[in-house]
Amino acid sequence: MRYVASVPAYRYTEAADLLGVSDDTIRRWGDQGRFTPTRTASGAAAIDGADLAALAVELADGADDPARAHARSARNQFRGIVTRVVADTVMAQVELCCGPFRVVSLISTEAVRDLGLEVGVVAVAGVKSTNVTLEVGP
């Protein structure tokens, strides 16, 4: 027996949270034809889950983002703004806000100085891992 789940539709506010943009941006993208708008059972404007996934891939590829032109071979990169730097004489903890996500990096204090990392600076976090866990909401 094969289980086939139906693909849900997401309200614009949910889609915006997942992509790290405003719901106005989602609405504008629907008006521009980047996806086909739909409605939830209650009549709220929505985006089909498959369309949302395709849009997420498009955004992750950064095809039209000149800031990503320097991208390296690592695929898990998150552009964000530095929100906190805690440093001692040897090591530092740097926190970035990347869309709706908080990313924390432990690097040398020397690297923090060399990169000019301080609150308000835009940086790209590169993540490499051999173990990734996934969780699905209710």
Side-chain angles (χ1 to χ4, degrees):
M1 176 178 216
R2 186 170 169 223
Y3 173 74
V4 179
S6 63
V7 177
Y10 294 90
R11 295 175 58 122
Y12 282 3
T13 53
E14 293 173 299
D17 284 343
L18 290 168
L19 297 179
V21 298
S22 71
D23 54 337
D24 286 335
T25 297
I26 297 292
R27 190 171 293 105
R28 191 169 42 253
W29 287 345
D31 292 344
Q32 293 170 351
R34 289 183 79 175
F35 64 89
T36 302
T38 186
R39 297 267 173 202
T40 63
S42 65
I47 177 174
D48 180 75
D51 286 344
L52 180 59
L55 190 55
V57 169
E58 180 185 327
L59 293 175
D61 287 344
D64 53 339
D65 184 357
R68 296 280 314 246
H70 70 283
R72 309 236 183 332
S73 63
R75 293 179 82 51
N76 300 324
Q77 296 185 342
F78 306 97
R79 186 169 188 258
I81 189 163
V82 176
T83 57
R84 186 170 182 224
V85 177
V86 178
D88 63 19
T89 56
V90 178
M91 293 300 294
Q93 177 179 318
V94 180
E95 295 183 17
L96 283 85
C97 181
C98 303
F101 303 104
R102 177 177 164 257
V103 177
V104 179
S105 177
L106 301 175
I107 62 175
S108 70
T109 299
E110 180 181 13
V112 169
R113 281 193 306 268
D114 290 349
L115 293 170
L117 295 174
E118 59 185 54
V119 173
V121 170
V122 173
V124 177
V127 179
K128 184 170 178 154
S129 176
T130 57
N131 184 23
V132 177
T133 60
L134 300 176
E135 189 173 309
V136 178

